[in-house]
Amino acid sequence: MSSDGAGRITSCRWEHGKVVDEAFGLDEVSELLERDGSLIWVDLCEPDHAGLRALADELGLDPHAVEDAVSAGERPKATRHANHTFLTVYATRLVPSDDPSVSAADPEASGRESRLRTSRISAFVLPRGVITVRGDDDVDMGQVLERWNDDPELLQLGVGALVHGLLDAVVDGHFDSIQQLDDAIEGLEDLLFDERGQVHTVQVRTYRLRKELVELRRVVLPMRDVVNAVLRHRGELDQRHTALDGFYDDLYDHVLRAAEWTESLRDMVTTIFETNLSLQDARLNTVMKKLTGWAAIIAVPTAVTGWFGQNVPYPGFGRPWGVLFSAAVIAAVAVTLYGVFRRKGWI
């Protein structure tokens, strides 16, 4: 790895699937791209605009693509230009809840903060190489490099192998994020039916999961169009190898599975949200039944004592057995009501 005006640079060159050169400078890129049998990768992390522009002028990169590589808020896409294909994709990861980037001074606010982190990777795909541009160092490109080096025979198939390895690593990261969100939803389902009724916790986690899934959906769903565009543009690249078709078909299948899984999780979170509201209504009805039952039971002694408290003679008036009679009426009616409400499940 080296550093100059273009930011932190990582570079590697292969010939016949074997690494022959590493850590070469940007001034050598154009010459190395002209060598027959040469396959290169250059990664620019946090490059400044001037350094990227200089490289673009040397390699004849489209100025609009260069602007897109450093602009914020670009959507995932694949665009074919005069002599290269430009890609923008987003790697994802889910950080722990206690991560400093999630934690806040207000514990309530930190519980609602999204844990999903996205990192943009832009790539210029040339006939004999790939130049990647990243705005931060959150993505471990060393794992991508290891993936390439683990299959020298695949690298002999040209630049399409580099593009496949890069996209495959990104999609695998999507699957990891989706799996973690799936596990979180399962935990939320268990909490949803907890008899202790942790309503607030369920609400906060549901809100956070919905936010994370919306963010994830924005980068996962467009990958279908990206891979489709790459498949179309591969026919325009030199030295296209049909042996890679199976790899790209498998990649496209993974992209579809990730998109469908994300959509199903969004449906599950919506269902949990609606179920939580239904359970709250059911709990409220249960509470109202209990209150009504106890109010009816308490009303009995109130009515009896109120009736016998009139200033008129009543059964047992002025006699000790009259008190016992009124107490027996209260106890009998109260026990009867309790039994009825208990049998109906109201109390």
Side-chain angles (χ1 to χ4, degrees):
M1 179 180 291
S2 61
S3 178
D4 58 18
R8 296 192 300 277
I9 303 172
T10 305
S11 55
C12 186
R13 183 169 72 91
W14 299 269
E15 287 185 1
H16 307 295
K18 297 181 180 180
V19 178
V20 295
D21 195 6
E22 292 181 299
F24 51 83
L26 294 182
D27 54 344
E28 304 177 60
V29 172
S30 58
E31 177 187 349
L32 295 175
L33 284 172
E34 297 297 327
R35 295 187 183 181
D36 291 336
S38 183
L39 185 64
I40 73 167
W41 167 62
V42 177
D43 178 66
L44 308 178
C45 183
E46 299 178 321
D48 61 69
H49 195 268
L52 186 58
R53 268 308 188 97
L55 178 64
D57 293 340
E58 182 179 354
L59 299 180
L61 303 179
D62 187 270
H64 297 95
V66 174
E67 291 293 333
D68 290 345
V70 294
S71 299
E74 288 296 320
R75 64 179 180 83
K77 62 181 179 180
T79 309
R80 176 64 182 168
H81 296 281
N83 61 347
H84 67 87
T85 296
F86 176 72
L87 304 176
T88 296
V89 295
Y90 286 84
T92 63
R93 63 189 180 91
L94 210 65
V95 299
S97 300
D98 57 356
D99 189 273
S101 62
V102 177
S103 301
D106 183 4
E108 293 292 330
S110 64
R112 297 189 297 268
E113 289 296 322
S114 173
R115 299 164 297 167
L116 186 71
R117 299 291 178 266
T118 59
S119 300
R120 186 178 63 185
I121 304 175
S122 299
F124 298 90
V125 183
L126 302 163
R128 292 192 179 92
V130 174
I131 299 173
T132 54
V133 180
R134 297 178 291 136
D136 55 57
D137 202 22
D138 287 345
V139 181
D140 185 7
M141 295 300 290
Q143 294 183 359
V144 181
L145 184 60
E146 291 179 5
R147 186 184 296 249
W148 286 331
N149 289 331
D150 286 342
D151 197 345
E153 294 183 2
L154 189 63
L155 287 181
Q156 296 183 41
L157 301 179
V159 69
L162 294 181
V163 176
H164 173 269
L166 174 63
L167 295 179
D168 196 37
V170 170
V171 173
D172 285 349
H174 293 171
F175 269 108
D176 291 340
S177 299
I178 296 171
Q179 180 64 65
Q180 293 179 61
L181 290 176
D182 194 353
D183 294 339
I185 290 176
E186 290 184 2
L188 187 59
E189 289 175 338
D190 295 337
L191 190 62
L192 182 65
F193 295 99
D194 192 332
E195 291 298 330
R196 290 172 293 180
Q198 302 181 44
V199 177
H200 179 70
T201 302
V202 172
Q203 290 175 336
V204 170
R205 293 188 183 181
T206 302
Y207 173 81
R208 183 174 65 185
L209 282 170
R210 291 182 69 177
K211 179 189 292 187
E212 291 164 350
L213 284 169
V214 167
E215 295 175 359
L216 184 62
R217 184 177 183 271
R218 290 173 183 167
V219 299
V220 170
L221 262 63
M223 286 297 293
R224 296 178 295 187
D225 298 329
V226 171
V227 176
N228 261 329
V230 170
L231 288 172
R232 293 196 307 270
H233 299 157
R234 280 188 63 231
E236 302 171 14
L237 296 174
D238 294 337
Q239 301 176 349
R240 175 186 173 180
H241 295 275
T242 57
L244 282 172
D245 291 347
F247 290 91
Y248 276 97
D249 289 340
D250 183 65
L251 173 63
Y252 186 68
D253 178 66
H254 289 177
V255 169
L256 290 180
R257 286 171 52 199
E260 292 171 356
W261 196 357
T262 303
E263 289 295 317
S264 67
L265 290 184
R266 289 183 72 241
D267 293 339
M268 288 176 64
V269 169
T270 300
T271 301
I272 289 176
F273 178 76
E274 294 173 350
T275 303
N276 186 40
L277 292 179
S278 300
L279 289 175
Q280 290 185 55
D281 291 340
R283 292 189 183 107
L284 179 60
N285 289 337
T286 301
V287 171
M288 292 302 297
K289 288 179 181 179
K290 291 181 178 180
L291 290 177
T292 302
W294 284 113
I297 293 174
I298 294 173
V300 171
T302 303
V304 172
T305 55
W307 175 261
F308 283 103
Q310 298 181 81
N311 295 320
V312 294
Y314 57 87
F317 180 77
R319 298 178 182 181
W321 67 266
V323 177
L324 297 176
F325 176 73
S326 63
V329 170
I330 292 173
V333 177
V335 170
T336 302
L337 288 175
Y338 180 82
V340 172
F341 293 147
R342 185 70 174 178
R343 186 167 59 253
K344 290 180 176 293
W346 286 21
I347 57 177

